[in-house]
Amino acid sequence: MAHTVKEKTKLLNRVRRVRGQVEALERAIENEKGCAEVLHLVVAARGAMNSLMAEIIEDHIRIHVVDPDHERGPRARGAEELIEIVQAYLK
């Protein structure tokens, strides 16, 4: 079973958070808010999307690339390093 199915509730909650951020952005533009406020909302929406992407990538690495219950050594360490890099990049 795909990890997106097993983690469906958690991922849908993140998607709903993204939707809320985008809807707030849309309202701000419709209500002619200032540039600074709109930019803050863009940053928040981008952060929510990046968090969703990081979650899916991390789960993919852990489940489809390296099985942490069976993998030890360089491959497992490499996977952990990759996860840390992806998380740092998407912050």
Side-chain angles (χ1 to χ4, degrees):
M1 179 181 335
H3 59 94
T4 53
V5 173
K6 290 181 0 183
E7 301 293 338
K8 180 179 178 178
T9 301
K10 180 173 64 171
L11 294 174
L12 284 174
N13 287 337
R14 284 196 179 271
V15 168
R16 290 178 182 118
R17 192 170 303 126
V18 169
R19 181 186 312 133
Q21 297 289 345
V22 172
E23 288 171 351
L25 175 60
E26 181 180 13
R27 284 191 303 275
I29 293 170
E30 284 178 348
N31 294 326
E32 300 176 357
K33 298 294 181 181
C35 293
E37 186 173 342
V38 169
L39 286 171
H40 280 15
L41 292 169
V42 169
V43 169
R46 180 180 177 210
M49 184 63 76
N50 284 348
S51 294
L52 172 63
M53 187 172 5
E55 181 92 24
I56 293 170
I57 290 171
E58 179 180 347
D59 287 349
H60 180 80
I61 292 168
R62 291 187 190 283
I63 294 169
H64 298 292
V65 178
V66 175
D67 181 354
D69 295 330
H70 297 98
E71 294 279 346
R72 300 284 186 255
R75 188 171 183 166
R77 283 193 300 278
E80 289 302 319
E81 289 170 358
L82 178 58
I83 288 167
E84 289 174 17
I85 291 166
V86 168
Q87 289 173 339
Y89 177 77
L90 293 175
K91 277 192 176 183

